[in-house]
């Protein structure tokens, strides 16, 4: 999709700020990597080869019996016995001496019998965000070779939690920002567009709503229902949509008093309501591209500057 001349100029200005541009690039790369969090940090193997067949445990469920075990539950891939079963082709001796049989199987034999050893491919960070690790000491722990950023107070890997948390928090922020912006701009536009009693009643409602203790409401809702991603988004939007109302309302009220609106009234217009939209946002170039609608001529012709003799040039699209 080709950018408009205005957006091309904005992009050039943004690229001229090297710090901002490279910050965006780094942010985009990091966010792109976190989209594959299950490949980067997972306590299940990415790929397993057992008895000549390939398995993808991080994508599918495999019972322990698929590798020669006894249980129909999902294989505990971090257990030495399960790892031994995978590499040693399900040898029964893995239950007695998993470390010894595993080391022997990697050499191609089990109890003197030649085998084709299997293998396990782990993620670069072999821990998920909720993996409880056996540290052999107190938690939290300092960074080391196994846990690059250490562990938290419940022995979970911090780096894995950062990766998964980053992937979750960015879409959360974008969704909340988009929804609150749409609702706030629409509400502010209605206030400024109609004015009068609509504006007055709306302002009183916003004042009452703004005095609502949002933190207590969120705590109460969290105590009643299980908190989840979409419920938290709904609560944040519910209390965040009022932030843009004041700015948009002021812009629409200001547009009602522009010269071209007064000119329309003087020429027999029924009122400013028929002339403010869509030019209220368009003629400023503040909330929308002013090339999108015909009233963009308000910027390019002298009527927008308040020359009485040239007002009719812009009244065509306004009065229609």
């Amino acid at each position: 999709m080709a950018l408009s001349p205005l957006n091309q100029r904005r992009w050039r200005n943004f690229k001229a700020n090297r710090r901002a541009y490279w910050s965006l690039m780094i942010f985009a790369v990091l966010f792109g990597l976190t989209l594959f969090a299950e490949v980067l940090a997972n306590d299940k193997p990415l790929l397993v080869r057992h008895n000549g067949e390939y398995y993808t445990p991080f994508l599918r469920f495999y019972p322990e019996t698929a590798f020669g075990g006894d249980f129909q539950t999902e294989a505990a891939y971090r257990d030495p016995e399960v790892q031994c079963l995978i590499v040693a082709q399900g040898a029964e001796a893995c239950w007695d001496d998993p470390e010894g049989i595993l080391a022997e199987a990697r050499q191609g034999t089990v109890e003197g019998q030649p085998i084709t050893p299997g293998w396990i491919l782990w993620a670069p960070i072999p821990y998920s965000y909720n993996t409880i690790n056996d540290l052999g000491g107190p938690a939290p722990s300092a960074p080391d070779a196994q846990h690059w950023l250490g562990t938290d107070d419940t022995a979970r890997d911090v780096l894995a939690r950062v990766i998964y948390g980053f992937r979750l928090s960015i879409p959360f922020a974008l969704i909340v920002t988009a929804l609150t912006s749409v609702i706030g701009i629409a509400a502010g536009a209605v206030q400024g567009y109609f004015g009068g009693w609509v504006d007055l009643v709306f302002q009183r409602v916003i004042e009452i709503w703004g005095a609502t203790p949002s933190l207590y409401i969120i705590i109460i809702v969290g105590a009643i229902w299980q908190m989840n991603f979409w419920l938290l988004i709904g609560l944040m939007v519910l209390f965040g949509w009022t932030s843009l109302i004041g700015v948009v309302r002021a812009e629409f009220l200001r547009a009602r008093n522009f010269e071209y609106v007064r000119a329309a009234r003087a020429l027999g217009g029924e009122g400013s309501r028929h002339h403010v939209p869509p030019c209220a946002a368009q003629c400023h170039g503040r909330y929308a591209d002013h090339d999108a609608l015909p009233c963009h001529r308000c910027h390019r012709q002298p009527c927008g500057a308040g020359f009485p003799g040239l007002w009719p040039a812009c009244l065509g699209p306004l009065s229609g």
Side-chain angles (χ1 to χ4, degrees), residues 226-307:
Q226 179 67 37
M227 190 62 68
N228 57 61
F229 181 82
W230 294 107
L231 179 58
L232 189 56
I233 282 181
L235 292 172
M236 297 300 294
V237 172
L238 191 64
F239 295 104
W241 62 274
T242 59
S243 58
L244 281 176
I245 286 182
V247 177
V248 181
R249 171 177 172 269
E251 286 298 313
F252 270 76
L253 291 175
R254 188 165 70 96
R256 289 161 59 97
N257 295 315
F258 278 173
E259 293 293 339
Y260 65 86
V261 178
R262 295 182 180 180
R265 292 175 182 171
L267 292 178
E270 296 181 4
S272 62
R273 294 180 187 175
H274 299 278
H275 311 291
V276 173
C279 284
Q282 299 292 336
C283 287
H284 306 299
R286 186 164 303 198
Y287 295 109
D289 185 356
H290 62 262
D291 290 330
L293 294 174
C295 68
H296 69 279
R297 285 183 288 176
C298 294
H299 268 307
R300 298 196 179 107
Q301 298 193 15
C303 65
F307 292 95

Side-chain angles (χ1 to χ4, degrees), residues 138-150:
S141 64
D144 54 29
Q146 287 74 35
H147 306 281
W148 299 346
L149 294 182

Side-chain angles (χ1 to χ4, degrees), residues 124-281:
I125 304 170
Y127 313 102
S128 187
Y129 65 93
N130 57 355
T131 304
I132 306 298
N133 299 282
D134 185 9
L135 301 176
S141 64
D144 54 29
Q146 287 74 35
H147 306 281
W148 299 346
L149 294 182
T151 61
D152 62 8
D153 56 351
T154 56
R156 296 172 298 187
D157 187 78
V158 172
L159 181 56
R161 294 181 63 79
V162 168
I163 293 173
Y164 281 88
F166 189 81
R167 184 181 66 174
L168 184 67
S169 61
I170 298 304
F172 178 87
L174 293 177
I175 294 172
V176 170
T177 301
L179 293 179
T180 53
S181 298
V182 169
I183 298 173
I185 290 174
V190 169
Q191 284 188 255
Y193 174 43
F194 290 100
W197 281 102
V198 174
D199 185 32
L200 183 63
V201 171
F202 227 122
Q203 282 296 102
R204 303 292 80 77
V205 171
I206 292 174
E207 290 173 1
I208 295 173
W209 189 249
T212 304
S214 58
L215 180 60
Y216 291 114
I217 299 297
I218 293 175
I219 293 175
I220 293 172
V221 171
I224 298 175
W225 292 286
Q226 179 67 37
M227 190 62 68
N228 57 61
F229 181 82
W230 294 107
L231 179 58
L232 189 56
I233 282 181
L235 292 172
M236 297 300 294
V237 172
L238 191 64
F239 295 104
W241 62 274
T242 59
S243 58
L244 281 176
I245 286 182
V247 177
V248 181
R249 171 177 172 269
E251 286 298 313
F252 270 76
L253 291 175
R254 188 165 70 96
R256 289 161 59 97
N257 295 315
F258 278 173
E259 293 293 339
Y260 65 86
V261 178
R262 295 182 180 180
R265 292 175 182 171
L267 292 178
E270 296 181 4
S272 62
R273 294 180 187 175
H274 299 278
H275 311 291
V276 173
C279 284

